[in-house]
Amino acid sequence: MKLLLDTCTFLWIVAGAAELSPRARDLFQAADNEVYLSAASAWEIAVKHGLGRLPLPEAPDRFVREMRQAHGIVELPIDEESSLHLSRLPELHQDPFDRMLVSQAIVHGLTILTPDPLVTQYPGRTTW
């Protein structure tokens, strides 16, 4: 399975947070799953950290790269096809970062690992 972590799930994984469900943890740890983190999540982390809403142990540019690499998570760039697919999504969610994740998941055939009930309402594959 090809998994796309939403920002919250990524942060919970790298922190070892108890909020991460056992199912999400199992899917993340399954050796045969490919796990991705979108550049949109890196962008969201940088924005929220810059606004003082997301404390991190180090600067976002180091934190995201180091944690992604330490946990075997592959970087997923934002591509033109995914960006343009946004115009075809229903208006279920106002968060631009989550909308990009949904678009990327649809375009690239990924399953989003998220606790967000709004994201799970989009067509495509989402799980938690």
Side-chain angles (χ1 to χ4, degrees):
M1 182 183 301
K2 293 167 57 174
L3 300 172
L4 177 59
L5 304 178
D6 81 346
T7 307
C8 181
T9 303
F10 170 73
L11 292 170
W12 285 350
I13 285 170
V14 302
E19 293 90 346
L20 187 67
S21 75
R23 175 168 164 67
R25 185 171 277 105
D26 289 347
L27 287 168
F28 171 73
Q29 292 175 341
D32 55 337
N33 287 343
E34 297 174 42
V35 183
Y36 296 87
L37 182 71
S38 172
S41 289
W43 177 24
E44 181 178 16
I45 289 167
V47 167
K48 289 183 176 177
H49 179 75
L51 294 172
R53 294 180 17 210
L54 180 61
L56 297 172
E58 58 188 326
D61 58 327
R62 290 191 54 185
F63 176 79
V64 171
R65 273 193 204 104
E66 289 175 6
M67 291 298 102
R68 189 177 50 71
Q69 291 171 352
H71 289 86
I73 300 167
V74 179
E75 175 186 7
L76 180 64
I78 296 173
D79 58 287
E80 182 178 84
E81 186 177 355
S82 296
S83 297
L84 295 173
H85 190 274
L86 285 166
S87 66
R88 299 199 314 250
L89 291 180
E91 294 291 330
L92 301 174
H93 205 305
Q94 297 305 308
D95 185 314
F97 303 110
D98 287 340
R99 289 178 58 78
M100 177 54 74
L101 296 181
V102 169
S103 189
Q104 287 182 297
I106 292 169
V107 167
H108 296 286
L110 306 170
T111 299
I112 301 177
L113 204 55
T114 180
D116 186 336
L118 286 175
V119 172
T120 63
Q121 293 177 26
Y122 282 97
R125 297 176 297 208
T126 55
T127 189
W128 180 240

